Amino acid sequence: MRRFLIGKSARDLVCSVSDMLQDYYGPDIWGQALYEDILAYVTKHVKPEESYNIVIDDWRRVLESNYLIKQNTFNIIKVYLDKEGKKSKASKGSSHYEGQIKPEDCDIVFTYTKDYSNFDELIGLIQNAIK
């Protein structure tokens, strides 16, 4: 394990395992898992007469987004997050996921300040989108 991580980030390891599972179970595995988790939560906690929204921030994989949209079960609010002055480059393992989801694909586009002091502004934008 340690040899694998030399020169690679922990995120690279997660991406490699994720890719392996996707290769084995199919490209929709993560979309299916997300859908089933949301469905289980809604079934347990939301009364049938209540309305609800699903907010997912910082999307990484377009396959997950497409899967949920295809199911047409939930009102999904997609949030694109960025950070002021962000200059970090995606690691080799995650570079093929970064940038798949574009700001124009999302309902809310938000840029955090360097110290995240504008978090309440993001919450306000999400609350307005839900109304």
Side-chain angles (χ1 to χ4, degrees):
M1 171 93 141
R2 187 172 183 165
R3 286 186 184 170
F4 178 84
L5 291 176
I6 294 174
K8 296 186 180 192
S9 70
R11 186 158 189 69
D12 290 335
L13 177 61
V14 170
C15 289
S16 292
V17 171
S18 172
D19 289 343
M20 179 187 66
L21 290 172
Q22 190 171 312
D23 288 344
Y24 186 76
Y25 290 106
D28 287 337
I29 182 65
W30 300 116
Q32 290 170 349
L34 180 58
Y35 177 79
E36 289 171 12
D37 283 350
I38 294 169
L39 193 57
Y41 179 86
V42 167
T43 301
K44 185 175 182 180
H45 297 287
V46 178
K47 296 175 184 157
E49 67 275 7
E50 293 178 330
S51 64
Y52 55 90
N53 296 279
I54 306 300
V55 178
I56 300 179
D57 65 345
D58 204 18
W59 288 83
R60 300 261 181 209
R61 298 177 184 221
V62 75
L63 287 171
E64 294 166 356
S65 176
N66 291 344
Y67 187 87
L68 289 180
I69 290 168
K70 182 173 69 176
Q71 298 310 308
N72 198 27
T73 304
F74 311 116
N75 181 31
I76 301 167
I77 299 169
K78 294 193 285 184
V79 180
Y80 184 92
L81 297 178
D82 206 353
K83 188 171 181 189
E84 182 179 75
K86 180 182 174 185
K87 294 179 182 167
S88 63
K89 185 179 174 188
S91 66
K92 188 174 184 180
S94 66
S95 63
H96 60 282
Y97 297 118
E98 299 294 329
Q100 283 187 350
I101 305 240
K102 307 283 186 226
E104 56 270 16
D105 298 330
C106 296
D107 304 297
I108 297 171
V109 177
F110 186 78
T111 302
Y112 280 113
T113 56
K114 289 181 182 181
D115 63 356
Y116 296 98
S117 62
N118 60 339
F119 179 76
D120 288 341
E121 184 182 338
L122 172 60
I123 298 303
L125 291 171
I126 292 170
Q127 288 172 332
N128 285 337
I130 290 173
K131 291 180 182 176

